Every structure is written in C-alpha cells, then in structure tokens.
Amino acid sequence: MLVLFGTKAYLRQLAVLSLVCGNCGAQVAHPLRKRTTKFTLFFVPLFRVSTSYRTQCTACGAERKLDSGQAERLLAGAV
C-alpha cells in the first residue's frame, strides 16, 4: 500500500532571549522556537494543521510551552 499523504513538522528559531529559568533559576539564553505542522499530499505541504511555541533553557534543558500571545510579547520585548 502506498501512502501519499501525511504531516510534516517545520521548526524555526525566532529569537534567543535572556530569561530566568523557572526550573533551575539561572538567567541564561533561551531560544524561542516556532513549530508548525502541515498536512502534505504527494510530499507537497498544503495547509497548516497546528502551531506551537517553546523556549528551552540552555543550562538545564527544561522546555516551556507558550501560547501565541506570550510568544509575541517576548518577541516585542526582545527588539
């Protein structure tokens, strides 16, 4: 059986922010990443299925999930 449809995830780094980690308490760099999952047909992305935002502490590796409003506020403060 040949599967001609599916999903593919795209990961994009939006910024590197200096934040205090909620897990280890260190003020270190946290990359802000956007993950977009798209539905594909014949390996061609057609439409977006989901979008999520995350930051990750570079000291301890803890990840924190953000909603789109939180991500936009962090990006506005970084500029």
Side-chain angles (χ1 to χ4, degrees):
M1 183 170 137
L2 184 61
V3 178
L4 302 174
F5 62 91
T7 59
K8 182 175 180 183
Y10 298 89
L11 189 62
R12 193 171 116 196
Q13 184 166 311
L14 302 176
V16 178
L17 309 166
S18 179
L19 302 171
V20 176
C21 179
N23 189 43
C24 67
Q27 183 169 354
V28 294
H30 286 71
L32 174 61
R33 296 185 180 115
K34 177 181 179 180
R35 180 184 174 142
T36 306
T37 305
K38 295 185 178 183
F39 178 80
T40 61
L41 181 63
F42 294 104
F43 306 102
V44 176
L46 295 178
F47 56 88
R48 183 178 57 229
V49 177
S50 68
T51 301
S52 65
Y53 297 89
R54 294 180 186 266
T55 60
Q56 184 177 16
C57 177
T58 55
C60 68
E63 282 192 350
R64 184 174 144 213
K65 189 172 182 179
L66 306 170
D67 62 23
S68 61
Q70 291 172 322
E72 288 177 15
R73 283 191 297 275
L74 283 173
L75 280 173
V79 176

